[in-house]
Amino acid sequence: MIDQLLNSPPSWLNFGIFFGLATILLLVILGFVTYGILAERKVMGFMQARQGPNQTGGRWGLLQTVADVLKLLIKEDTIPKLADRPLFIIAPVIAFAPAFMVVAAIPFTDNYKFADIGVGLLYYVAVSGITTVGIVTGGWASNNKYALMGGMRAAAQMISYEIPLVMSVIGIILLTGSLNLSDIVNAQENVWYIFVQPVAFFVFFIASVAELNRVPFDLPEAESELVAGFHVEYSGFRWAFFMLAEYVYMFAMAALTTVLFLGGWQPIAFLSFIPGAVWFALKFSVVIYILIWFRSTFPRLRADRLMEFGWKVLLPIALANIFLAALIKELFY
């Protein structure tokens, strides 16, 4: 019934269906952001031998993030007098909108996917790059030297690490013969690509952490050097948009890592009775935990070391892996 409606000519009914599905997806993502932040605080608290949030919302602090969001909503929205007002206002939207758009292309199970795009992987890479424009725009429009430097760092970092990120998945495209994310998951029915392409996983995961601007690659918003970097002049709801974009991308990148390297919803053979959605959630949660673990463990890299690592280490390894993937394709596929 729903398939027939979706394939029927454009109408208000189609619009209502798509709008409803998009709203559901947005609510799921906002729920993840709310309790993903809480989970991050709790895990970091555990690793640092402290409690973490434990007051607002009972002993577990379940409403702490909700209270923080409410605080941001009622805070004064300040715009610097000498800022470029139109660009300053639109920058957080440019940063956030692509984060929400890329999630729609990710298949969570064989049946639960919002947009089964034939070139889903290419779509993800292309659309996610738009966020860089929002960050640079926010830094430049603020008319603040720290914000500008943070925006330029973000542009240099995200462009530099996007190259090895894309190069690392070429091996998977060679093995699968498709850019469709569902096809990539189905191709891992017998063996997950993390075992076939461990070098690609290594490069992809490190580059993805850099793309997310998370520790140890959080130079665009380095508090100790740039007093919060590209969003130093933002407050209230606009600042929340930048933070929301960061955590939505965390959700999207963890889901993409699960799809590309961990078999998505594919189960371990002798545990195939467990539903695919559960498998996806478990793998996804492991990736999220590792990202939080990194934040609690590593110190921030120096800017020049970060750029050298991307161009002189990750890029050559990614190039070598393409040759290795072609060899595996020729010998075993």
Side-chain angles (χ1 to χ4, degrees), residues 267-325:
I268 297 174
F270 60 90
L271 296 174
S272 57
F273 60 90
I274 300 176
V278 175
W279 279 110
F280 191 98
L282 288 173
K283 298 171 187 177
F284 172 85
S285 299
V286 169
V287 177
I288 292 292
Y289 177 80
I290 293 174
L291 290 173
I292 297 172
W293 184 11
F294 276 22
R295 182 175 176 182
S296 304
T297 305
F298 292 109
R300 183 181 298 127
L301 287 179
R302 214 170 65 191
D304 59 329
R305 296 281 177 85
L306 176 136
M307 298 302 290
E308 285 182 7
F309 184 72
W311 288 104
K312 295 183 179 180
V313 179
L314 286 189
L315 184 57
I317 293 175
L319 287 168
N321 183 70
I322 295 175
F323 174 78
L324 180 63

Side-chain angles (χ1 to χ4, degrees), residues 48-63:
Q48 296 167 357
R50 56 185 176 80
Q51 289 294 319
N54 64 348
Q55 299 296 318
T56 307
R59 63 178 293 188
W60 297 102
L62 295 176
L63 297 179

